[in-house]
Amino acid sequence: MIVSTYANNSVEEISTASPGGLKWFQLYIMPDRPFTQRLVRRAEAAGYKALVVTVDTPVPGKRYPNLRSRFQRPPHLRIPNFQGIQSSAAPSKDKQNLVRGPYPLDRSLSWKDIDWLSSITNLPIILKGILTAEDAGIALEHPGVKGILVSNHGGRQLDGVPATIEVLPEIVAAVGERLEVYLDGGVRTGTDVLKALALGARAVFVGRPAIWGLAYNGEDGVAEVLKILRNELDLAMALSGCRCPAEIKHPLVVGKEYYSKL
C-alpha cells in the first residue's frame, strides 16, 4: 500500500493499524526541507519500505469536476502528517487548493532535489509521474532512484496526457532491467492487470476501485474489490495459457495497428 502525505491518518497510525502490511510512503517534497526530512524520518521509523516521490505536481492541475461539485475537504478530516510544518503560506482562497490546505508544493522541484533526498535516506526512491522514455533515462543517472511508477495522476493534472498503458512499453524499454517499473491509472479489471504485466510492469496499483469498495462496504468492500481483481486476473491468465506471472509476455497484447495490416 502507498500511503499519501495528505492522508487523513498519520504515517504512525496507519503503520500501527496494519503491522503486517507492506507500506510505501508517497512523499511530496516541500519547500520546508527540514520538515520534509522529519517526515522521511517518521516514515522510516514507522517501518515504511520505500519513498514514492510525486514528480508531476509542481502546481495543482485545474480540476473542473471539483469546481463544478464545489468539493471541499470536510472540516472534520485532518491532515496530521503536516503537524509541525513551518509554512509561510496563508490559507489559499483558490478552490483548487481546498483539499490540500495551506501546505505549499515546491514549484522549483528538480532532479537535484531527488539527489538531496537520496542523501538523507537509505530507503529506495520510486518516481511517480514519469510518462516519457526521456525522463526514465534521466532517472537512471540518479543512483537513489530504484523504480518508476508510470502515472498520469489519474488524468487530473494535465489534460490530454496519454494513458499510462500507452507509454509503459517505451519506459520499460528505456530502463531495461536497471529499474523496476510499476503502473497505475485506469486499472479496473483483471485483464487490465494482465495487459500491464505483459507490457513490462512489475506490478500495478489501484486507487479509485479501492475508494469505491470503501464507499460500498468499508474495509470488507476494499477486500472484495481486490478479490475480484485477483480472480479476474487468474481467469485471464488461464484463458491466455499462462500458468504463472513469468509466462505473461508482450505478444499477448496487440494494438489496433496489428489488425489494420490484416
Side-chain angles (χ1 to χ4, degrees), residues 178-201:
R178 291 170 289 180
L179 295 178
E180 292 190 353
V181 179
Y182 317 102
L183 174 139
D184 73 11
V187 178
R188 301 290 182 266
T189 66
T191 52
D192 292 334
V193 180
L194 182 75
K195 294 171 193 175
L197 296 179
L199 295 177

Side-chain angles (χ1 to χ4, degrees), residues 135-185:
D135 281 339
I138 295 173
L140 291 171
E141 302 170 4
H142 298 266
V145 176
K146 303 301 181 184
I148 288 173
L149 175 49
V150 181
S151 174
N152 60 14
H153 218 101
R156 296 173 298 137
Q157 272 297 97
L158 178 62
D159 192 23
V161 295
T164 52
I165 195 72
E166 293 178 322
V167 300
L168 175 62
E170 70 174 71
I171 293 173
V172 170
V175 303
E177 298 295 325
R178 291 170 289 180
L179 295 178
E180 292 190 353
V181 179
Y182 317 102
L183 174 139
D184 73 11

Side-chain angles (χ1 to χ4, degrees), residues 48-195:
Y48 289 74
K49 300 302 183 183
L51 298 176
V52 181
V53 181
T54 300
V55 298
D56 62 356
T57 313
V59 295
K62 199 69 156 180
R63 300 176 183 177
Y64 290 105
N66 287 2
L67 293 174
R68 285 193 291 268
S69 66
R70 300 182 181 180
F71 176 78
Q72 298 186 42
R73 176 166 52 87
H76 69 281
L77 293 180
R78 57 199 182 103
I79 308 180
N81 288 328
F82 285 96
Q83 183 177 358
I85 189 172
Q86 299 298 315
S87 173
S88 60
S92 174
K93 295 181 180 179
D94 181 358
K95 292 182 180 179
Q96 289 293 301
N97 293 329
L98 286 174
V99 176
R100 299 184 184 280
Y103 309 120
L105 300 173
D106 191 345
R107 298 182 179 216
S108 67
L109 189 68
S110 69
W111 289 102
K112 65 180 176 59
D113 298 300
I114 302 302
D115 293 333
W116 168 79
L117 182 61
S118 65
S119 74
I120 66 166
T121 184
N122 291 321
L123 291 179
I125 296 171
I126 314 298
L127 299 184
K128 177 180 180 291
I130 300 292
L131 285 176
T132 66
E134 291 83 358
D135 281 339
I138 295 173
L140 291 171
E141 302 170 4
H142 298 266
V145 176
K146 303 301 181 184
I148 288 173
L149 175 49
V150 181
S151 174
N152 60 14
H153 218 101
R156 296 173 298 137
Q157 272 297 97
L158 178 62
D159 192 23
V161 295
T164 52
I165 195 72
E166 293 178 322
V167 300
L168 175 62
E170 70 174 71
I171 293 173
V172 170
V175 303
E177 298 295 325
R178 291 170 289 180
L179 295 178
E180 292 190 353
V181 179
Y182 317 102
L183 174 139
D184 73 11
V187 178
R188 301 290 182 266
T189 66
T191 52
D192 292 334
V193 180
L194 182 75
K195 294 171 193 175

